[in-house]
Amino acid sequence: MAVTDAAIDRIKQMIISGELRPGDRLPKEADLAERLGLSRNSLREAVRALALINVLDVRQGDGTYVTSLQPNLLLDAMSFVVDFHRDDTVLQFLEVRRILEPAATAMAALYMSDEDVEALREILSGVPDEPSVEELVANDLRFHQHIAAGSGNAVLCSLIESLSGPTTRARIWRGLTQEGANEKTREQHAAICDAIAARQPEVARAWATVHVAGVEEWLRSAL
């Protein structure tokens, strides 16, 4: 493992230094192994590990390439790790959401285009007249993902999407057990959307904080 870690670090340094750029093809395996002073087996293990976290893209019969290194690709690996959370850590994910989502919502009020604001309203109106809890949660995810994208910050957007998974079960649980939770969620979504449309970042931030904190408060009392 130590040799593989060294191989990973050397490829990483080649990318950080700019010797390998996004989209570049890595030298042939034999040439790269000799150049880095590594065995081909160690190099293969390093490439496999970096491919798992979307740093490298192994194309069968074509070669190995550096990916685009876009935040959504690199942070996708975090989503995989986050899925291993335990139920008693859901609150911690909600606490992080309470920090990130209001910031993204305030930024969306400043940077989201009029067309995207209209699309946000369409997401709100897309809920069926008698929705299931699952339909409401799916709409809730779309709503918050659209706002995160509207923040204009790809890293922030990817972080929020990565953290959405663990809290989905909490939202469903809330919808099944707490009377009036779904109606309250729809009212808060409408208030957030109105604040974004009015270009009022601090009002949007406040409503987003109330929205996430409501789920967090309910979950604290339920656990």
Side-chain angles (χ1 to χ4, degrees), residues 6-77:
I8 291 171
D9 190 58
R10 291 181 190 181
I11 296 172
K12 175 184 172 183
Q13 290 305 318
M14 291 176 72
I15 296 172
I16 292 174
S17 69
E19 186 176 351
L20 287 173
R21 298 180 179 278
D24 282 356
R25 180 177 177 176
L26 268 64
K28 291 181 179 179
E29 183 183 272
D31 295 340
L32 186 57
E34 182 180 359
R35 176 178 167 185
L36 297 179
L38 300 165
S39 70
R40 293 176 70 168
N41 280 341
S42 296
L43 181 59
R44 285 192 200 110
E45 289 298 325
V47 167
R48 196 172 292 122
L50 290 168
L52 283 172
I53 58 173
N54 298 324
V55 172
L56 297 179
D57 178 19
V58 180
R59 303 175 190 174
Q60 206 65 33
D62 186 17
T64 300
Y65 293 79
V66 180
T67 67
S68 65
L69 302 179
Q70 290 295 312
N72 62 313
L73 265 181
L74 299 181
L75 290 171
D76 187 54

Side-chain angles (χ1 to χ4, degrees), residues 102-117:
T105 306
M107 292 168 69
L110 295 173
Y111 304 124
M112 187 179 279
S113 68
D114 292 341
E115 292 78 9
D116 283 336
V117 172

